[in-house]
Amino acid sequence: MSTTTTHLCLSLSLAFSLILLSSLPSPCLSKSCHPDDYKALKEILTSLNPHFVPPNKDCCNWYGFEDTCNLKSNRVTKFSIFAQTISGQIPSAIGDLSYLEFLQFHKLANLTGSIPKSITKLKNLKFLALSWLNLSGPIPEFLGELSNLEYIRLAFNQFSGSIPSSLSKLSKLEYLRLDRNQLTGSIPESFGHFKDGIYLYLSHNQLTGTIPKSFGNVDFWNIDLSRNKLVGDASMLFKPNGTTNSIDISRNLFEFDLSLVRFPISLGQLDINHNRISGSIPKQLADVKVQNFNASYNRLCGEIPLMHFDESAYIHNKCLCGPPLLAKCK
Ligand SMILES: *[C@@H]1O[C@H](CO)[C@@H](O)[C@H](O)[C@H]1NC(C)=O
Ligand SMILES: *[C@@H]1O[C@H](CO)[C@@H](O)[C@H](O)[C@H]1NC(C)=O
Ligand SMILES: *[C@@H]1O[C@H](CO)[C@@H](O)[C@H](O)[C@H]1NC(C)=O
Ligand SMILES: *[C@@H]1O[C@H](CO)[C@@H](O)[C@H](O)[C@H]1NC(C)=O
């Protein structure tokens, strides 16, 4: 390929001005994409944009879709659209891109409706991001059938109903974000089967009930349950021999004795603000190199063992004392 054509291919990588290109010859000559993928991709893009006209048959080199195909197989393995002004629903033809491993719709406020059932045909799917859209209805149980999924991000939508317990069947899952939706009900007990090291974000929903006891079996890397209506004990999240980096349980109704907790040495972030947590802050926390800490708005008492946070990390407790607070310990 000449420098000029390479430059042309690259400089055209702005999705959805496809119509402009339809009258030009294909600038990037290579093996054409598989006819089944061409058909599916054409159908998907037409349903998202009625004015879409395929520029040519080589969907592996379409404008804005340059890294869509696997270079060896020439099958479409990646589909990603973000920050466009498109509206409508996720086309069910997405399920016909049978070699898809990476699927992303991101920041499309006018994309509505639910997750199509046809997605269960994507047996190779590893990465699923449907985020900052306006999807609604329940998070479908059938996502649990996509056994190769490693990464799921459904954050910033209008999903409602309870969290499907089937997600725990995804034995390769390393990352799950369901935050900033309107999910209700309790956290499935089966989530205690997740593998160690998982990132779990369930914050900014309306989840109720207690944290499943089974969470004591998972060494989360990052767990964020903040801004829900969860009650009871959260102490099982703290595993002294674990490798957890970040725990955020702020703005819930948790009620347990912090004095009894031992922290993993790996803990970098701990936010427990706005709960009903009692007891004292364990001295052991001073041995942990925690970089962010907030225990404000709880029912804590006793001497503060950490000097390097300002008083806003401790305000509105029952009887915490010592610096940085003005109250002296007796
Ligand atoms: C969504 O649709 C409305 C009405 O058709 C339009 O005004 C707005 O620009 C669209 N927003 C985006 C981000 O596409
Ligand atoms: C999302 O959908 C709701 C109705 O389902 C609508 O009221 C709202 O304006 C939509 N938001 C955006 C950003 O399009
Ligand atoms: C934590 O590790 C120490 C030393 O490696 C071991 O003695 C102890 O039994 C472990 N505790 C738990 C709860 O696994
Ligand atoms: C702790 O949380 C409270 C309440 O959200 C907030 O006002 C304060 O700025 C936070 N302080 C720190 C050090 O994070």
Side-chain angles (χ1 to χ4, degrees), residues 109-110 112 134 136 158:
N110 288 340
T112 55
N134 213 347
S136 55
Q158 314 280 346

Side-chain angles (χ1 to χ4, degrees), residues 84-85 109-110:
Q84 305 290 329
T85 52
N110 288 340

Side-chain angles (χ1 to χ4, degrees), residues 233-295:
D233 188 14
S235 64
M236 80 293 270
L237 300 178
F238 300 91
K239 296 167 199 75
N241 285 7
T243 57
T244 303
N245 174 260
S246 174
I247 297 178
D248 189 346
I249 55 169
S250 64
R251 295 180 188 260
N252 279 285
L253 304 162
F254 289 120
E255 210 163 340
F256 61 95
D257 185 349
L258 194 65
S259 325
L260 307 173
V261 165
R262 291 297 167 267
F263 302 94
I265 201 78
S266 53
L267 197 64
Q269 336 273 334
L270 177 60
D271 197 343
I272 61 173
N273 87 71
H274 282 93
N275 280 288
R276 298 167 177 177
I277 299 166
S278 58
S280 57
I281 303 175
K283 288 212 166 35
Q284 187 244 343
L285 195 56
D287 304 334
V288 172
K289 292 190 180 58
V290 70
Q291 291 130 24
N292 291 301
F293 177 71
N294 200 330

